[in-house]
Amino acid sequence: MRIKQQHFRTIWQQSGAVCLIDQTRLPFEFVTVNVTTLAQMCHAIRSMQVRGAPLIGAAAAYGVALGVQQTASDAQVQDVVTQLCATRPTAVNLAWAAQRMQQALLALPESARAMAAWQLAQAIADEDVTQNLALGQYGKALIAAKSTVNPQQVVNILTHCNAGWLATVDGGTALAPIYAAHDAGLKVHVWVDETRPRNQGASLTAWELAQHGVPHTVIADNAGGHLMQHGQVDMVIVGADRVTREGDVCNKIGTYLKALAAFDQKVPFYAAVPTPTIDWQLARGADIEIEMRDADEVAYMQGQGADGQVQRIRVIPHESTALNPAFDVTPARLVTGIITERGVLTPAQLHTLAA
Ligand code: MRU
């Protein structure tokens, strides 16, 4: 990703430490953090300094590497993986990466594990970038198809949450087709759902689209249906935290409502996912564990005050309680297509990708 014209990944390895961009500080401050222990990596994932399904997969892989540097016994490897898997339950990429590390390390002699862990974590991070670039090309073709009639016509794409560079190691998922289309000279404009409660759309998606010069407009979460009714949305592209083998799409809370509106208005609804986001073990989205986060994320908002300082303010009465389910499931019947690094498939075709 380009930040002030400099290339960055969201996570990288440097002299025995793992560096990451602290996403809780964006969009007002760009801060990187050095993570040197397993406990710090678990904290970074839980507190959402790193977030987004592919990125927390890579973070978990690096977390395993950090956790086996002093001791790499079978028990230690298993304990490290258990701790990482307990950080966030919904995005399958996290467990997928941690378990891939576990399987590979347990097959090696103990003395070879510490070094091998860094190499495999790096490989998992690199694969994510490659997959995202590939799915971006498939998604770009869908956008291009919308502008064939009139290449000067702007294609309006609505997205929810942040499924851009920041949610991955690099490249993004839902935003990958948009970047590819924009870079190829197609005219695109993005409707960015603010995505309460944590505002990943308003603070992260808007920020990274601005860094890349992609035209976009932030909208309140409830505006999408209205814009679709008025013909102002040509397609919806979202990311996902887990897609079942039957094509149910679990993503940030509020995605389901956008899919319902899109279905009603005959607006194509796509999920863009690298294949590690597909959970071949699960058929039904109803069986996905939905993370319940702290109610304070609903009760408070963070923003920049007139004095330039970042502040946290309460937005609900002190007498009220709040509830904070972090994800929802869009049933396959509302999904037009799933954009992967191996092509665009309907939910019914998805099983053909299973190994
Ligand atoms: O709670 P978050 O910010 O980790 O949720 C992220 C999302 O829901 C993204 O849309 C999803 O992970 C897709 S990532 C490319």
Side-chain angles (χ1 to χ4, degrees):
M1 74 180 108
R2 288 202 310 251
I3 299 171
K4 295 197 193 325
Q5 303 311 321
Q6 197 185 334
H7 182 259
F8 273 89
R9 283 186 171 189
T10 51
I11 192 164
W12 65 96
Q13 178 188 331
Q14 198 171 290
S15 327
V18 180
C19 306
L20 45 92
I21 297 170
D22 184 348
Q23 300 191 24
T24 62
R25 309 286 289 273
L26 289 171
F28 303 113
E29 297 165 306
F30 182 81
V31 175
T32 61
V33 174
N34 268 16
V35 172
T36 56
T37 65
L38 170 67
Q40 287 172 358
M41 186 59 89
C42 289
H43 169 75
I45 297 170
R46 247 189 228 106
S47 66
M48 294 175 60
Q49 287 178 312
V50 282
R51 33 68 50 203
L55 176 53
I56 59 176
Y62 281 120
V64 173
L66 289 169
V68 300
Q69 291 307 302
Q70 309 306 323
T71 321
S73 63
D74 288 10
Q76 175 71 7
V77 172
Q78 277 151 10
D79 180 51
V80 164
V81 168
T82 304
Q83 287 188 52
L84 285 159
C85 287
T87 53
R88 296 194 74 191
T90 303
V92 71
N93 308 60
L94 192 157
W96 168 85
Q99 283 158 9
R100 183 168 159 194
M101 293 289 290
Q102 171 172 321
Q103 204 177 6
L105 295 184
L106 293 183
L108 295 173
E110 202 174 309
S111 59
R113 290 175 181 170
M115 174 74 87
W118 284 119
Q119 288 165 352
L120 183 54
Q122 180 72 42
I124 287 172
D126 291 344
E127 279 169 28
D128 179 54
V129 180
T130 310
Q131 287 163 345
N132 298 333
L133 292 178
L135 75 82
Q137 291 303 317
Y138 284 112
K140 180 184 87 173
L142 297 171
I143 298 171
K146 284 269 171 207
S147 60
T148 45
V149 185
N150 175 5
Q152 290 313 308
Q153 192 182 318
V154 176
V155 180
N156 286 295
I157 304 163
L158 184 141
T159 194
H160 191 69
C161 194
N162 171 261
W165 294 321
L166 288 166
T168 63
V169 177
D170 200 356
T173 61
L175 298 192
I178 293 168
Y179 289 127
H182 174 81
D183 291 349
L186 297 172
K187 293 194 182 310
V188 290
H189 166 262
V190 186
W191 295 114
V192 179
D193 284 349
E194 60 179 345
T195 319
R196 275 282 282 154
R198 287 186 69 105
N199 286 324
Q200 288 95 327
S203 48
L204 303 179
T205 300
W207 181 77
E208 62 165 86
L209 288 171
Q211 292 293 322
H212 200 89
V214 178
H216 63 280
T217 307
V218 178
I219 52 173
D221 283 327
N222 298 326
H226 168 78
L227 293 174
M228 289 183 214
Q229 279 176 327
H230 290 266
Q232 294 184 66
V233 181
D234 296 302
M235 61 171 78
V236 178
I237 311 181
V238 297
D241 293 84
R242 192 182 295 233
V243 174
T244 69
R245 66 171 182 268
E246 293 185 357
D248 290 345
V249 172
C250 179
N251 190 47
K252 180 55 54 191
I253 193 80
T255 303
Y256 171 48
L257 288 175
K258 298 298 167 293
L260 280 172
F263 189 77
D264 190 45
Q265 292 300 317
K266 302 186 175 40
V267 172
F269 179 94
Y270 293 99
V273 295
T275 47
T277 304
I278 303 170
D279 185 346
W280 300 111
Q281 311 303 316
L282 279 191
R284 289 164 7 104
D287 293 332
I288 297 171
E289 180 180 348
I290 301 295
E291 178 181 8
M292 294 299 290
R293 290 190 62 85
D294 195 324
D296 276 1
E297 292 181 351
V298 176
Y300 292 84
M301 285 179 76
Q302 183 170 294
Q304 192 177 41
D307 60 358
Q309 297 301 307
V310 175
Q311 300 168 4
R312 187 170 171 267
I313 54 163
R314 190 172 174 95
V315 291
I316 69 170
H318 288 280
E319 298 77 16
S320 301
T321 56
L323 183 75
N324 189 11
F327 301 95
D328 63 24
V329 175
T330 297
R333 69 185 166 80
L334 302 178
V335 178
T336 310
I338 297 174
I339 308 167
T340 77
E341 77 276 11
R342 293 168 62 190
V344 183
L345 298 101
T346 63
Q349 294 167 329
L350 198 59
H351 67 94
T352 60
L353 294 185

